[in-house]
């Protein structure tokens, strides 16, 4: 789809545009790291461990009513969300939510006690509520999930670093990693500031953000690699600007259509996938920005030049000058 008929000539990485973008990225990263250090992430039951209780109502029920009922019954830290419909309620409880199970082992007896206590509390407010299931995730399993999730992100970044270094040029690899680290930190910062629950679905969304952001960055690098040999009289800034402008149509269309879907999920998807949709929405916006400004600026900072991307000369071969007009914003 040719959304923009004529390739624009916007100066994206010139000095006047590059420095404000670097300042903006630095401010966002500092704020995100500050929020992560001060408030931390609000880990869900997948990471902290605890009881997962699902109950059903004959009619739609208000979440604040269920939450207040549980608080009056002694479950002050219960997390209540809808599950699919307004009649299905998902309740998350801490591992030591029941007397006699302070170590959070979550055995069969503990699950039975949780089931009885929750059901008794909710039936005092609505006798027709019924129990669907009670599951337990131990604290040890939660700790392992935290470690494995962090390792998954780390190994993904290392693999991308190696791929870009071999597939393109080693000076491009820091740019790809800078974009991904930039995007992941800002997404995590949003979750730290808002204290929206961070569970496995959000971790999956962050891995998807890494893939999405990398895709845009690779397209830019491919354009840069093609344009350097063609634009022999242009400097690095001109070549990168031309490359960004050439991919602008594709970036606007793909990011715009993806955001339309994600915004629909945010509005109509319900609480169960709200964190997943929010992480992807922020990631797509930040990833689009970083593939233009962060990736392009990093290529300039690593001093990528024509000689780095020219194929090795063969003896007696005269290379044709296919394009010599520099980029003019």
């Amino acid at each position: 789809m040719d959304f923009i008929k004529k390739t624009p000539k916007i100066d994206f990485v010139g000095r006047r545009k590059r420095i404000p973008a670097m300042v903006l990225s630095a401010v966002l990263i500092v704020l995100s790291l500050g929020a992560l250090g001060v408030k931390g992430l609000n880990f869900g039951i997948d990471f902290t461990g605890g009881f997962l209780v699902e109950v059903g109502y004959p009619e739609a029920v208000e979440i604040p009513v269920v939450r207040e009922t549980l608080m009056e019954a002694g479950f002050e830290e219960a997390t209540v969300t809808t599950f699919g419909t307004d009649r299905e309620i998902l309740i998350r409880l801490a591992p030591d939510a029941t007397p006699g199970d302070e170590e959070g082992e979550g055995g069969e007896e503990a699950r039975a006690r949780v089931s009885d206590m929750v059901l008794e509390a909710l039936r005092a407010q609505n006798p027709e509520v019924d129990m669907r299931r009670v599951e337990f995730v131990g604290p040890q399993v939660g700790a392992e999930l935290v470690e494995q999730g962090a390792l998954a992100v780390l190994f993904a970044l290392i693999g991308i670093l190696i791929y870009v270094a071999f597939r393109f040029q080693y000076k491009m690899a820091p740019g790809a990693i800078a974009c991904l680290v930039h995007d992941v930190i800002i997404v995590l910062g949003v979750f730290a500031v808002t204290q929206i629950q961070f569970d496995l679905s959000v971790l999956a969304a962050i891995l998807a953000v890494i893939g999405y952001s990398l895709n845009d960055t690779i397209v830019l690098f491919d354009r840069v690699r093609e344009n350097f040999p063609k634009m022999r009289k242009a400097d690095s800034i001109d070549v990168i600007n031309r490359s960004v402008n050439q991919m602008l149509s594709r970036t606007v269309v793909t990011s715009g259509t993806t955001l339309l879907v994600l915004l629909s999920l945010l509005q109509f998807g319900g609480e169960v996938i709200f964190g997943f949709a929010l992480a992807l929405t922020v990631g797509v916006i930040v990833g689009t920005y970083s593939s233009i400004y962060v990736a392009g600026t990093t290529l300039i900072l690593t001093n990528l030049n024509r000689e780095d991307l020219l194929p090795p000369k063969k003896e007696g071969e005269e290379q044709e000058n296919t394009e010599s007009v520099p980029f003019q914003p």
Side-chain angles (χ1 to χ4, degrees):
M1 179 179 177
D2 195 5
F3 182 71
I4 300 176
K5 297 295 183 183
K6 186 178 179 181
T7 301
K9 294 183 179 180
I10 303 172
D11 181 13
F12 285 104
V13 294
R15 187 175 179 80
R16 290 183 178 179
K17 302 291 180 62
R18 187 170 75 236
I19 292 180
M22 291 171 65
V23 172
L24 175 62
S25 292
V27 169
L28 291 175
I29 288 175
V30 169
L31 290 176
S32 298
L33 291 176
L36 288 168
V38 174
K39 302 180 71 174
L41 294 171
N42 178 21
F43 287 113
I45 191 174
D46 299 329
F47 295 106
T48 62
F51 292 93
L52 187 68
V53 182
E54 181 184 347
V55 297
Y57 283 80
E59 298 176 352
V61 62
E62 297 290 333
I63 293 294
V65 174
V66 178
R67 188 176 293 121
E68 184 177 351
T69 303
L70 290 172
M71 289 181 65
E72 291 174 354
F75 298 107
E76 285 85 3
E77 298 181 358
T79 303
V80 183
T81 58
T82 55
F83 185 69
T85 68
D86 292 340
R87 295 181 301 171
E88 312 292 327
I89 301 297
L90 208 59
I91 302 167
R92 293 178 172 87
L93 302 172
D96 57 351
T98 59
D101 191 38
E102 283 74 11
E103 295 182 358
E105 296 178 353
E108 190 172 335
E109 291 184 5
R111 291 199 297 272
R113 271 199 303 275
V114 166
S115 174
D116 293 341
M117 293 171 66
V118 170
L119 207 54
E120 182 181 357
L122 296 180
R123 280 182 173 169
Q125 184 264 332
N126 187 336
E128 297 184 0
V129 63
D130 62 338
M131 180 64 63
R132 301 291 172 82
R133 62 180 168 123
V134 179
E135 296 178 358
F136 179 80
V137 178
Q140 181 61 35
V141 176
E144 290 177 1
L145 286 174
V146 173
E147 181 182 350
Q148 291 172 1
L151 287 175
V153 175
L154 178 63
F155 289 146
L157 293 177
I158 293 174
I160 290 165
L161 180 71
I162 296 172
Y163 168 75
V164 175
F166 279 94
R167 181 68 177 81
F168 292 91
Q169 218 277 341
Y170 74 91
K171 288 184 178 179
M172 291 178 162
I177 297 302
C179 288
L180 302 183
V181 172
H182 171 277
D183 300 345
V184 170
I185 288 177
I186 292 177
V187 173
L188 290 177
V190 170
F191 276 81
V193 170
T194 59
Q195 287 293 292
I196 293 174
Q197 193 170 86
F198 188 95
D199 53 23
L200 282 180
S201 67
V202 178
L203 176 62
I206 288 179
L207 292 174
V209 166
I210 290 176
Y212 185 89
S213 177
L214 178 68
N215 185 48
D216 263 3
T217 305
I218 291 298
V219 172
L220 172 64
F221 286 176
D222 200 41
R223 288 287 186 179
V224 170
R225 185 175 57 178
E226 290 178 3
N227 286 332
F228 257 119
K230 293 178 180 178
M231 302 172 64
R232 293 183 176 278
K233 292 185 179 180
D235 60 19
S236 298
I237 294 177
D238 291 338
V239 173
I240 294 169
N241 266 328
R242 173 69 65 88
S243 304
V244 173
N245 279 283
Q246 286 175 339
M247 60 171 267
L248 192 60
S249 172
R250 172 196 173 279
T251 300
V252 170
V253 172
T254 54
S255 298
T257 51
T258 305
L259 280 175
L260 285 177
V261 176
L262 293 174
L263 291 174
S264 299
L265 286 177
L266 277 175
Q267 180 66 30
F268 306 110
E271 292 189 43
V272 175
I273 62 169
F274 183 82
F276 176 81
L278 177 64
L280 279 179
T281 302
V282 176
V284 168
I285 295 172
V286 177
T288 302
Y289 160 83
S290 68
S291 65
I292 294 175
Y293 287 102
V294 178
T297 301
T298 310
L299 293 181
I300 295 171
L301 294 178
T302 56
N303 196 29
L304 183 74
N305 54 51
R306 184 177 302 103
E307 286 70 26
D308 293 326
L309 297 172
L310 284 178
K313 291 183 179 179
K314 297 180 181 178
E315 189 175 351
E317 179 183 3
E318 293 185 2
Q319 296 185 2
E320 296 182 358
N321 190 355
T322 55
E323 185 175 352
S324 58
V325 180
F327 175 82
Q328 295 178 346

